[in-house]
Amino acid sequence: QVEVRESGGGVVQAGESLRLSCVVSGVPYDDHPVGWFRQPPGQSREQVACITRSGTTTYTPFDSRGRFAISRDNAENIVYLDMNKLTPEDTATYICATDQWSSGCPLVTSGLSWGQGIQVTVSS
């Protein structure tokens, strides 16, 4: 059974940085991509970034480019999302997901294994 577990959320001030972590376990194949999504209050879920096992990254057309960075430690099965220069507009539930049946990014939302999500709140 695939398990996805996020950690590292919290409350920060605008301009500060935060690192989110995602541990994935139970995937039968190592070559699986992992992505981060976010869902701001009252808005739909959107993909933020994705990384393949080989380290290829994609960022959706949203202002995470240049401020957010996704990375991966394959030995520990951990994927990180480093978020810098946070603004109140980054306030959202951040959700990690993996696709055990595919190897590429970005993730297609159907058939993913999802984490519970973690809250990030940026105060002004």
Side-chain angles (χ1 to χ4, degrees):
Q1 181 178 352
V2 178
E3 293 188 356
V4 181
R5 187 172 67 252
E6 306 95 339
S7 62
V11 180
V12 296
Q13 298 284 328
E16 294 184 340
S17 300
L18 198 62
R19 165 173 270 198
L20 304 182
S21 300
C22 173
V23 176
V24 178
S25 61
V27 181
Y29 306 105
D30 290 337
D31 192 17
H32 59 95
V34 178
W36 283 97
F37 294 74
R38 73 179 191 178
Q39 186 165 14
Q43 299 183 40
S44 58
R45 185 176 297 182
E46 58 185 353
Q47 187 164 174
V48 173
C50 179
I51 187 166
T52 66
R53 178 172 175 80
S54 64
T56 300
T57 59
T58 60
Y59 297 90
T60 55
F62 133 89
D63 71 352
S64 67
R65 294 177 189 272
R67 295 193 303 121
F68 290 10
I70 190 170
S71 59
R72 181 169 183 160
D73 182 337
N74 288 327
E76 299 294 332
N77 290 326
I78 300 177
V79 172
Y80 301 103
L81 183 68
D82 289 296
M83 305 184 292
N84 302 302
K85 299 179 182 178
L86 287 162
T87 72
E89 287 69 38
D90 295 314
T91 295
T93 299
Y94 285 74
I95 310 124
C96 184
T98 189
D99 187 345
Q100 62 177 309
W101 308 115
S102 174
S103 61
C105 288
L107 298 181
V108 177
T109 55
S110 62
L112 299 182
S113 298
W114 297 92
Q116 292 294 316
I118 193 165
Q119 182 65 34
V120 172
T121 302
V122 184
S123 60
S124 58

